[in-house]
Amino acid sequence: ARNLALLRATVLSRQQRDAQAIADYRELAAAFEQAGDLGAAASALNNTALPLYRQARTDEAPATLERALMLAQQGQAQDTVGFVLGSLANHYVRDGNRERAESYYLRALEAFQLADLPAAQSTAYTNLSEIAIQRGKLDAALQYAERALGLLPADASSSRAYLDFRLGTILTGL
């Protein structure tokens, strides 16, 4: 029943029926938490971030994501910890606080390393590279982009093309 409810909430979010998606994800989070599946509860709360932004309810996102982080940590769901930290970093990028975003991306990277998720690590490095570029740290941006490339699977051609482009941009700026 919860899997069907999760599918419904995801479909609602993709259809941009955001108010209902948020309500469904929150209801799911409560049900997962009551059942003792804290990682799933955290994941459901993490999924509210995008619909909250689309509804211009950005003030609700940090508290919701911090709660998701707490649940993921309590549930020892290391992969979910990483994804929630990434969502928090994205929030601070939107908020213009790049220093704080960088801190959260670094923490997400660490969680992805502990969970042995190379593709997620690559995404974290890519995000760190973007932040470094925005902060004028081109040497760091280059190192992050190179690490991101090294972690990509062979079939990730669009990601490789993007990172190759970013590397070219960074090298031009050095």
Side-chain angles (χ1 to χ4, degrees), residues 50-65:
L50 181 59
L52 284 169
Y53 290 120
R54 285 194 302 240
Q55 289 224 316
R57 294 165 58 184
T58 56
D59 56 321
E60 294 177 47
T64 299
L65 292 171

Side-chain angles (χ1 to χ4, degrees), residues 65-123:
L65 292 171
E66 289 290 348
R67 171 120 176 90
L69 180 58
M70 182 197 69
L71 290 169
Q73 289 169 331
Q74 286 177 351
Q76 299 178 1
Q78 200 61 41
D79 56 340
T80 304
V81 167
F83 291 116
V84 174
L85 286 166
S87 293
L88 279 160
N90 292 340
H91 168 76
Y92 291 111
V93 167
R94 284 183 183 92
D95 206 34
N97 190 339
R98 287 174 180 77
E99 188 174 317
R100 196 157 186 196
E102 180 180 32
S103 169
Y104 277 98
Y105 283 136
L106 285 167
R107 288 175 59 196
L109 175 61
E110 184 179 314
F112 294 141
Q113 289 168 334
L114 290 171
D116 193 26
L117 297 172
Q121 291 172 49
S122 180
T123 299

